[in-house]
Amino acid sequence: MNDFIVGIDLGTTNSELAVTEDGIVRVVPIHGNPIMPSCVGIDAQGNLLVGQAAKNQLIAAPESTVVSIKRKMGEDTRVRFGEREFSPEEISSFILRELKNEGERVLGRPIHKAVVTVPAFFNERQRKATQMAGELAGLEVVRILNEPTAAALAYDAGNRDHETILVYDLGGGTFDVSVVTVESGIVEVRASHGDTHLGGDDFDQLLVDHAVAAFQRQNGRELKPDLRTLRRLRVAMEQAKRRLSDEPYVHVREEYLDGENHLDIEILRTDYEAMILPLLEKTLTCLHQALTDAKLAPKDIGRVMLVGGATRTPLVHQLLRQKLEIEPRFEINPDLIVAMGASVQGAALSGEKRHSILVDITPHSYSTVALATDEGGYEFLRCHPIISRNTPLPSSKAEMFFTTLDNQTEVKVAAYQGESENPDDNVLLGDFLVTGLRRVPSGNVVIIHFDLDLNGLLKITATEKATGLAKTVTLDTRGARTLDLEKAKQNIAQLVGMDDAIEGSSDGGLDETKERQEQLTAAKNLRKRAEALLQKGINPEDAEELRALLHATAEAIGRHDDLTELNNKLSDLVFYLED
Ligand code: AMP
């Protein structure tokens, strides 16, 4: 039987799940809606909320609700969430798990494998983080697919002409532009460019800043920037922004925004457009770069496909029309097209016969550093590209390097991502030492081989030519950013339930003893009761003691420590307070 592989668009603002079977693409409704907000929360009882339910409590409980986690993927950071802290991978895994569980319920069959999309401009770390989130959710991510490529695949599912398409993808948090050719079922990405920190969320922020300034003018006092007020303002401004796509002005009134004073403003679309123009101009610079890389001019573009919710902004259409002299089109719903394309690729990978062939590229160059000498005879480190940007994937390339010292037995191999000759301007992906080289005069040849796979993940091999001595590293980036998978599973287990977490373990489950599971179950129940007490209101000293214990148990669970003593303490305090 063929594998069943779904397509998932793990978006900054929203996420979607689609399946393609027998050539038919279907978006799977999640909680009855094709679009699920990429929002995660914990309710007052300590239950995990994902999607619309979490979004609903965004204003009321901002400290227990997380949005736009995609912007933090690949960063070495923890997000405070209720009483606990999670990595971006863990938070994203809650979103993926919800899509998986709901998808299984709707489709009536298990989902084990997925193609998950990422912005073309996501770097190595961000891609790895996405794969990790999948694993934590109990999903094998069989392919990480670039979002614009997915969009082109969805388009190709219904059209087979020869055409050069420009995919302009402006979502909540990221921007990508790609030049793609579609010919007889071959979808070939020619060039890609983008910005992983540019999207509709930034437009919201500009409107929030505008509203904060207006509030100050109107009321003669500063707006206290507490999380609750800012979230409320953000939600109001996001709605205002959407309305400005259809109306020439909007009136926003937020009663008692700071508890005492109102916000009452009118925003003209023209003023809003002036605010966002510099950001949209940045997208046009990327577009120009992608066209240049593809060695094409605007006149060569046959069709402009708009992807991502923020492309509903009329100024986007206007600027593209001016720049390319083509009317941009929403061929397929811009919110769903990426998930649909991912599912087309999923079907192809699972062996469905009629499918498109995909030729994807890398939007970044990958280089290693080597000593170079300038005109004055000074030596300096320079990036030496091994795989250049816009090279079709997978790519496997090698270059020769030479030792510079006599009897040099070690070389340090480093990999960088980026376009500059100066290593400081690029992203260091990682480095490693090759030891045990022959003791010979300088000039010993070391071959450095870069393998970039279809997911955009890099493997490096350094080989001493004369002996064949080799060292291979699949890059886990520097900064010790290697998420401890077992720890992460422990951390999320408390929220999704131990059974789910064990099931989510692709390597056959956590190595948990029965006793440990009992400890975890007891801790979970006690924590729920403690949180209910805090919610109900207890005296500040008791609350502080209870919070300290909750924090200590959370840490102990994360560290995999024995919980007996902490459970006893928590139990004593909870019983005492419940009395
Ligand atoms: P995506 O990441 O593709 O789901 O896009 C979400 C972004 O699109 C968010 O910033 C939304 O606020 C924005 N968006 C959705 N609908 C509209 C609209 N009608 N006008 C402007 N922006 C929108």
Side-chain angles (χ1 to χ4, degrees):
M1 199 178 85
N2 285 342
D3 279 341
F4 176 58
I5 305 175
V6 299
I8 292 179
D9 174 5
L10 182 62
T12 310
T13 324
N14 299 305
S15 296
E16 294 84 21
L17 174 80
V19 289
T20 297
E21 278 183 298
D22 302 325
I24 297 178
V25 185
R26 182 175 159 210
V27 176
V28 181
I30 305 295
H31 309 133
N33 197 322
I35 293 169
M36 184 185 85
S38 303
C39 199
V40 180
I42 296 183
D43 71 8
Q45 287 71 45
N47 298 316
L48 180 69
L49 303 175
V50 182
Q52 191 58 47
K55 196 174 176 187
N56 293 344
Q57 68 156 31
L58 188 59
I59 298 174
E63 58 292 322
S64 316
T65 317
V66 180
V67 289
S68 298
I69 194 64
K70 186 170 174 181
R71 284 186 176 233
K72 296 209 164 72
M73 287 296 265
E75 285 178 20
D76 190 2
T77 184
R78 309 285 291 173
V79 180
R80 200 158 176 79
F81 182 36
E83 287 291 326
R84 318 254 314 269
E85 285 186 350
F86 291 94
S87 65
E89 291 91 333
E90 289 164 355
I91 303 264
S92 293
S93 81
F94 295 138
I95 298 170
L96 289 172
R97 183 183 293 273
E98 191 70 16
L99 294 171
K100 169 176 153 56
N101 290 347
E102 265 291 287
E104 286 177 341
R105 199 183 59 73
V106 173
L107 298 170
R109 60 197 289 192
I111 298 172
H112 298 301
K113 296 184 178 184
V115 171
V116 180
T117 57
V118 296
F121 241 62
F122 250 26
N123 63 29
E124 174 89 6
R125 288 177 202 187
Q126 293 164 311
R127 285 166 196 268
K128 275 238 174 73
T130 306
Q131 241 178 3
M132 188 81 85
E135 184 164 344
L136 290 172
L139 275 174
E140 184 190 340
V141 179
V142 291
R143 179 70 56 82
I144 297 274
L145 186 64
N146 290 336
E147 286 161 10
T149 315
L153 276 175
Y155 168 78
D156 180 55
N159 301 267
R160 308 224 142 225
D161 344 315
H162 164 88
E163 201 157 32
T164 300
I165 306 171
L166 187 112
V167 184
Y168 180 100
D169 180 355
L170 188 61
T174 55
F175 170 70
D176 266 324
V177 58
S178 296
V179 179
V180 181
T181 53
V182 179
E183 192 165 8
S184 328
I186 298 178
V187 178
E188 187 169 3
V189 185
R190 293 298 178 91
S192 232
H193 219 79
D195 188 331
T196 46
H197 288 96
L198 174 62
D201 291 356
D202 298 299
F203 303 174
D204 301 347
Q205 189 55 47
L206 290 171
L207 285 171
V208 167
D209 296 345
H210 176 75
V212 168
F215 180 91
Q216 210 162 320
R217 269 199 313 278
Q218 280 171 358
N219 298 296
R221 61 166 63 192
E222 273 194 21
L223 185 64
K224 268 200 321 302
D226 70 88
L227 195 55
R228 197 167 302 234
T229 312
L230 286 181
R231 278 271 167 92
R232 181 172 159 200
L233 205 50
R234 224 164 208 287
V235 170
M237 288 302 130
E238 201 261 343
Q239 280 163 2
K241 173 188 76 175
R242 287 174 187 245
R243 280 168 49 210
L244 282 169
S245 291
D246 301 320
E247 296 161 29
Y249 73 91
V250 289
H251 179 197
V252 181
R253 186 173 163 84
E254 287 294 315
E255 307 256 340
Y256 303 108
L257 184 57
D258 64 350
E260 280 175 49
N261 303 286
H262 314 311
L263 169 78
D264 198 321
I265 49 169
E266 202 171 86
I267 308 169
L268 293 178
R269 186 196 276 172
T270 45
D271 289 343
Y272 166 62
E273 288 181 342
M275 287 178 218
I276 63 169
L277 185 61
L279 296 182
L280 290 182
E281 275 171 347
K282 270 195 190 174
T283 70
L284 294 183
T285 308
C286 292
L287 188 158
H288 184 74
Q289 186 63 53
L291 281 177
T292 310
D293 285 352
K295 300 189 178 57
L296 292 175
K299 67 171 175 35
D300 299 317
I301 300 297
R303 190 178 298 255
V304 179
M305 282 177 60
L306 297 180
V307 182
T311 57
R312 292 200 173 90
T313 311
L315 187 59
V316 168
H317 298 218
Q318 193 185 317
L319 291 172
L320 289 174
R321 211 180 292 126
Q322 279 166 5
K323 179 104 181 164
L324 302 172
E325 293 178 5
I326 305 176
E327 189 62 39
R329 307 190 9 202
F330 290 109
E331 289 292 328
I332 308 174
N333 182 330
D335 296 315
L336 306 179
I337 188 168
V338 169
M340 291 165 74
S343 79
V344 170
Q345 184 64 10
L349 291 172
S350 72
E352 266 217 18
K353 283 206 183 60
R354 239 187 95 257
H355 63 75
S356 311
I357 298 161
L358 173 63
V359 183
D360 208 348
I361 53 145
T362 165
H364 305 284
S365 299
Y366 291 87
S367 52
T368 190
V369 282
L371 272 183
T373 313
D374 71 8
E375 284 160 5
Y378 288 105
E379 289 185 332
F380 64 102
L381 284 174
R382 188 172 67 189
C383 275
H384 187 100
I386 296 190
I387 296 180
S388 307
R389 80 162 185 264
N390 296 327
T391 302
L393 296 178
S395 175
S396 179
K397 300 220 157 130
E399 291 286 341
M400 278 201 304
F401 295 86
F402 306 92
T403 53
T404 51
L405 304 172
D406 292 343
N407 299 320
Q408 184 175 338
T409 56
E410 292 185 350
V411 284
K412 189 171 179 187
V413 179
Y416 285 84
Q417 177 180 283
E419 310 311 317
S420 175
E421 280 198 342
N422 180 357
D424 293 341
D425 296 339
N426 293 331
V427 178
L428 174 64
L429 296 173
D431 52 26
F432 60 95
L433 212 53
V434 184
T435 55
L437 302 180
R438 290 174 313 150
R439 289 183 177 278
V440 290
S442 65
N444 187 13
V445 176
V446 176
I447 298 166
I448 300 194
H449 203 125
F450 277 19
D451 278 297
L452 196 59
D453 72 10
L454 285 163
N455 301 311
L457 297 178
L458 185 65
K459 190 171 89 183
I460 309 176
T461 307
T463 313
E464 183 181 38
K465 186 163 179 280
T467 59
L469 168 80
K471 179 156 182 178
T472 300
V473 167
T474 298
L475 273 189
D476 266 332
T477 48
R478 215 175 46 192
R481 179 74 187 118
T482 43
L483 189 78
D484 183 331
L485 205 58
E486 287 309 312
K487 250 194 180 161
K489 282 176 185 165
Q490 286 296 322
N491 199 25
I492 63 175
Q494 283 301 293
L495 275 184
V496 297
M498 210 50 218
D499 292 348
D500 268 0
I502 291 169
E503 192 234 319
S505 162
S506 62
D507 52 9
L510 302 173
D511 184 18
E512 289 295 342
T513 62
K514 192 159 167 277
E515 188 191 341
R516 172 76 181 163
Q517 290 210 26
E518 281 168 6
Q519 283 185 5
L520 283 168
T521 310
K524 191 175 173 189
N525 289 336
L526 286 166
R527 290 173 63 79
K528 270 193 183 167
R529 283 161 61 189
E531 273 157 18
L533 282 166
L534 287 170
Q535 194 74 18
K536 200 175 87 191
I538 48 179
N539 85 48
E541 269 176 29
D542 291 337
E544 197 178 322
E545 197 181 337
L546 199 53
R547 281 208 185 89
L549 269 178
L550 282 174
H551 187 71
T553 35
E555 298 231 303
I557 290 164
R559 282 196 307 267
H560 211 153
D561 286 351
D562 187 274
L563 298 172
T564 317
E565 202 184 322
L566 279 169
N567 276 353
N568 287 343
K569 281 191 187 164
L570 197 54
S571 163
D572 287 349
L573 188 58
V574 166
F575 273 115
Y576 162 72
L577 292 172
E578 282 176 342
D579 258 1

